[in-house]
Each structure stands twice: as C-alpha cells, then as structure tokens.
Amino acid sequence: MAANSSATGTAEIGVTGLAVMGRNLARNFARNGFTVAIHNRSFAKTQSLVDDHGDEGTFVASESVEDFVASLARPRKIVVMVKAGAATDAVIDELVPHLDEGDIVVDAGNAHFPDTIRREKALRAKGLHFVGSGVSGGEEGALLGPSIMPGGTAESYQWLGPILEKISAKVDGVPCCTYVGPDGAGHFVKMVHNGIEYADMQLIAEAYDLLKQGLGASAAEIGQIFADWNTGDLESFLIEITADVLQHVDAASGSAFVDIVLDRAEQKGTGRWTVQNGLDLGVPITGIAEATFARALSGSVPQRTAALGTLPAHTTDWQVEDRAAFIEDVRLALYASKVVAYSQGFDQIAAASAEFGWDIDRGAMARIWRGGCIIRARFLNRITEAYERNVDLPLLLADEYFTGAVGNGVPAWRRVVAGAALHGVPTPAFSSSLAYYDGVRAERLPAALIQAQRDFFGAHTYRRTDRDGTFHTTWSGDRTEQDA
C-alpha cells in the first residue's frame, strides 16, 4: 500500500463505499494492475481491505475525503458504491467541493434512472461528468468480472472505458462492458436487466413447481433435471444455480434445503421500477409484471392465510402418464416463456431509448449480458445475432431464429399451461407469456369493443377499419356518427 503523503495524484481509479460490492470492485481494479484509491466513511473498513488484500495490488488508503480526492490522478475517476437514494446524494455532495472541471463521478449502485438523470444534469452544470453505471454479477462478479453498463457522456467513457472493460467479464475475448448512452441510459438498462431477472427466476420457479406437482419428484430429482437442461439451449447461470440449490441438503434437518425455506420472496425495488416504467411507456412487459406481482403475492400472508383451505379448487391429482414427455414439455414451455421475457425487456429498452434520445444498441446490450451478469445465458448470442441482422427489429420473437425456436415449442407450451390450470398449479408467468404470444400474433384483438365502450361512456372517440379519421357516435342521442 502506498502512503498518502507520497501517493498524491497517483491513483488511476478511486472507490468510496467499501461494503461487499465496493470492496470487491476495488480488489478487481487492483488485481488488474490499477492503482486504486480507497475510502469509506468508517476508516476501519478501509484499513481492513488493505490488511486482508493489500498483496493483490496497489491501494492508496485515505481517511478523509480530501485526501482521497487528492490521491487521484486527473481527470479524477471516482466510483461510488453506497446505498441508492439519499446516501448516494450525500456522498456526491461531499465529493463535489473537492473536484475540478472534467472529473468523473461514477454511481455503480442500483440507482433509479430518474435520479441518475437529475444528478447528471446537476454535475454537468458544475463542469463534472456523472456516470450512472449498472453493474451485474453480485459480489462474485464484482471481484472476478461483472457485466458493466455505463451511461453518461461519450467523453467520460473515453477515460473510463479502458479501465472498466479490463475488469469486466470476457466472453470469447470480448469485454462484457460497453457505452450504453447519455445520462440515465446505463442505469435504465440495468433496471430492465433486473426486471428480466425477476421474470427468469419466476419462470424457473414455476417449472420447478410443475415438475414437483406433475411428477411428484423430489427436489434432488428436479435438480438433476435442471442440470440436464443446463447442457442445452437453456444453459444459463440461473439454471445452473437452480440445479445446485435443489440438490442441496439442509444440514440441520436433513431435508432438501428448498423445502425448509419460507415461501415468501422479497425484492429490493428494481422489479417494481421496471413495471412502473413499462406502464409509463405503454410497453406490455407482462412476464416481468407477473413475476413482480408473484413475489408480492408470496408475501401477502393475511390473504393467503384466509384463502388456505377455504377457496374451492375443484381439481384432481395430476396423473402424468409419460414422464419424459412431460419433462420435455416443461422445458420447451420454459424456453418459450424466457424468450418472451427477454423480447419484452428489449422492447422496453427500445421505447425508452426513443423517449429519451439515448440511441441504445440492443444487440450490444445482449452481447455484454453474455458473461458476468445474473441473466447470462447461451441464447443471448442468438439475441445479439438477431439485432445484427436487423438493428431496428420491432419484435425479437419475429426474428427468424426465435420464430422457429419458440414456434416449435408452442404445442408443449399450451399443454403445460392448460394442465396447470386444470390441476390448480399457479403459473402466472408461463400463462401470461403465452397470452402475450397469442395477443401479439392475433390478427384482430377485442380491443375494438373496449374502444367502442370508451366512446359510449366518455366520448373518447374511435377510428375505423374502412376509412381514415377519428369519430364519435352520439350514443345518448340519435346514434349518428360524427367526425371528431
């Protein structure tokens, strides 16, 4: 570790906020040969990092913000890793008085993108660069190579890019890091990433439940099924860890670990943000929404308690005649539903990019999600290829590869959703994904009736199929049609 007195202006990157993620990011920078300035509100954490990992590289530890900033080479590049919200604002407010024009502040936490837009605007007015950067991969990814999604100015990426790309995960030698777009673009993409993650996890949980209810299989047996699936098109980090979790035995009880975990899933807010934004943009992200609501339902204890043993089911035991065929049906339905979740997420990115003028490259987002991040999966290569074929692809499902891959599984998808409904197994994400698939491919939707109803009670007008224009029918009068 270099001493503060002799380290003025030598550190290439700084990290303030040394909880698990910040600590591991700092270590990652040092392991990759960068001189890293480190700071934490409590100096004990700073000292602990040096004591425990000082042999991994060059750290410049500072007790005060003044010394921390002074230890950095210009333009100063500072990564903030503290709790999103007021804590982030407090750290920024403390840093800014010590910074000079052209310095770069990076918020690498899970900030809400409107906050990032606000902060970027405020710091830009002071001549500073503010970068909202998504970082995915958890504490292990932060240390060994995460997927990184930085926004902000293109100029700031010229300074940050080489550093961030070096510490990021690599797939086929390609860094899982790229410039996303201006102001809040990076944190927006990370938010959608987390929304897709919600959907992916819910779909996997539903597949587990279907196999359990339909086959009466043990957790370990289902874990082996997931392990087998992880060798094919479903290969992904989440499928891999699911197989591991399901085969884990609780040491205290001797039971399958998953069977002793309380069935109430928690959330930190990114799923809700994604759904709220989907509503704001008018993008039907139904798989993500149902996954978010499923977590809320799992925690609705009074409602679940009132319903248990009270609400009639009118179901019979599920008697699966062909075990192998049923497993294959669930696999195909899971794959199709996962593709729908990603397709909806990329639609949301496209809508926000147009709304905010971000010019986000969706193919590049799929490429940097191939490694390091939680939703990394084999078929992200296929998504990248789809957007390379057509950068303006209006619907991922309409790409020739996914039309075939998903289309082949539609009969199985319908059997699984129908079977779940008949036997009382809740599959909100599977079911809503199939409903979306049928809705988006439908030649005509019943929305025509809804629009007629809206005109009847609120004079909201309608358009016709046979001529241009907007019209209103005088429903309470002689029911003649008028131009609106």
Side-chain angles (χ1 to χ4, degrees):
M1 182 193 74
N4 289 333
S5 58
S6 61
T8 302
T10 62
E12 297 158 276
I13 189 81
V15 179
T16 181
L18 299 177
V20 174
M21 286 291 289
R23 184 182 180 94
N24 282 0
L25 268 181
R27 292 174 60 195
N28 191 351
F29 286 126
R31 287 175 165 195
N32 278 280
F34 298 105
T35 299
V36 187
I38 53 175
H39 170 265
N40 192 75
R41 184 178 58 174
S42 165
F43 187 64
K45 282 192 175 180
T46 309
Q47 192 62 54
S48 169
L49 173 54
V50 175
D51 292 343
D52 295 343
H53 305 290
D55 60 346
E56 293 183 341
T58 304
F59 296 100
V60 182
S62 298
E63 189 164 359
S64 70
V65 170
E66 293 90 340
D67 287 343
F68 172 64
V69 173
S71 70
L72 286 154
R74 299 187 184 188
R76 303 178 180 100
K77 297 168 283 294
I78 299 172
V79 177
V80 177
M81 283 298 291
V82 299
K83 187 176 181 181
T88 300
D89 284 322
V91 170
I92 292 169
D93 290 344
E94 191 175 10
L95 285 169
V96 165
H98 305 287
L99 300 179
D100 295 313
E101 185 173 349
D103 287 347
I104 303 166
V105 178
V106 182
D107 175 11
N110 269 338
H112 198 192
F113 79 93
D115 289 337
T116 304
I117 293 174
R118 168 178 59 80
R119 291 166 182 148
E120 194 277 336
K121 183 178 180 181
L123 267 65
R124 180 164 23 98
K126 299 177 183 295
L128 302 172
H129 297 281
F130 183 77
V131 173
S133 180
V135 177
S136 179
E139 57 187 83
E140 181 177 305
L143 179 63
L144 302 179
S147 174
I148 309 177
M149 298 150 255
T153 62
E155 181 184 352
S156 67
Y157 193 76
Q158 290 177 359
W159 289 100
L160 283 171
I163 300 174
L164 298 181
E165 289 177 14
K166 190 168 183 180
I167 71 156
S168 72
K170 310 293 188 301
V171 176
D172 300 328
V174 179
C176 293
C177 173
T178 193
Y179 175 64
V180 177
D183 53 65
H187 273 147
F188 182 89
V189 166
K190 176 57 163 59
M191 179 191 76
V192 174
H193 164 284
N194 285 22
I196 294 172
E197 179 184 308
Y198 272 54
D200 211 341
M201 293 172 72
Q202 176 65 25
L203 289 165
I204 289 171
E206 290 179 15
Y208 152 74
D209 201 26
L210 286 162
L211 295 170
K212 180 180 179 181
Q213 303 293 342
L215 301 177
S218 68
E221 289 171 330
I222 299 171
Q224 185 56 55
I225 292 170
F226 274 92
D228 293 341
W229 286 351
N230 199 48
T231 63
D233 290 339
L234 283 172
E235 180 189 346
S236 67
F237 173 70
L238 285 171
I239 295 289
E240 176 188 345
I241 67 170
T242 298
D244 196 0
V245 168
L246 288 174
Q247 294 178 86
H248 180 59
V249 175
D250 175 55
S253 65
S255 301
F257 175 73
V258 72
D259 292 338
I260 58 94
V261 175
L262 189 65
D263 62 338
R264 298 177 198 167
E266 298 179 1
Q267 51 186 306
K268 290 188 175 180
T270 48
R272 285 196 301 271
W273 293 344
T274 309
V275 175
Q276 288 163 350
N277 176 258
L279 292 170
D280 290 341
L281 294 174
V283 179
I285 49 170
T286 55
I288 296 170
E290 287 295 348
T292 306
F293 288 133
R295 291 197 189 189
L297 176 62
S298 75
S300 299
V301 178
Q303 292 81 7
R304 292 180 65 191
T305 301
L308 187 63
T310 302
L311 300 184
H314 299 294
T315 61
T316 57
D317 290 339
W318 206 336
Q319 301 294 330
V320 173
E321 295 182 1
D322 189 329
R323 187 178 188 275
F326 181 75
I327 292 171
E328 178 63 4
D329 275 0
V330 175
R331 185 189 72 82
L332 289 168
L334 176 58
Y335 184 81
S337 298
K338 280 165 68 80
V339 173
V340 166
Y342 282 76
S343 181
Q344 292 177 345
F346 279 103
D347 283 350
Q348 186 173 8
I349 290 172
S353 182
E355 175 75 15
F356 296 104
W358 287 334
D359 194 26
I360 297 174
D361 182 342
R362 289 175 291 172
M365 297 308 99
R367 185 169 61 251
I368 66 172
W369 288 349
R370 294 182 303 162
C373 73
I374 303 302
I375 63 171
R376 59 185 183 265
R378 177 188 291 189
F379 72 77
L380 280 162
N381 284 312
R382 298 293 192 175
I383 295 177
T384 297
E385 292 166 2
Y387 288 116
E388 287 175 346
R389 282 191 287 271
N390 180 1
V391 69
D392 297 318
L393 183 67
L395 177 71
L396 183 62
L397 286 165
D399 173 75
E400 58 186 25
Y401 172 79
F402 288 107
T403 296
V406 174
N408 290 337
V410 169
W413 202 2
R414 296 195 189 285
R415 286 192 294 269
V416 167
V417 170
L422 287 171
H423 294 93
V425 178
T427 55
F430 271 72
S431 302
S432 66
S433 297
L434 178 58
Y436 171 85
Y437 179 86
D438 282 334
V440 79
R441 70 170 189 84
E443 183 176 354
R444 185 167 171 81
L445 293 167
L449 177 57
I450 294 171
Q451 197 60 10
Q453 292 169 331
R454 294 181 73 244
D455 188 61
F456 189 107
F457 66 69
H460 293 297
T461 74
Y462 55 88
R463 287 173 293 171
R464 299 177 59 98
T465 61
D466 54 359
R467 63 179 185 272
D468 293 335
T470 304
F471 306 93
H472 166 62
T473 292
T474 55
W475 296 100
S476 59
D478 60 5
R479 300 204 171 191
T480 57
E481 185 176 75
Q482 304 169 348
D483 290 337

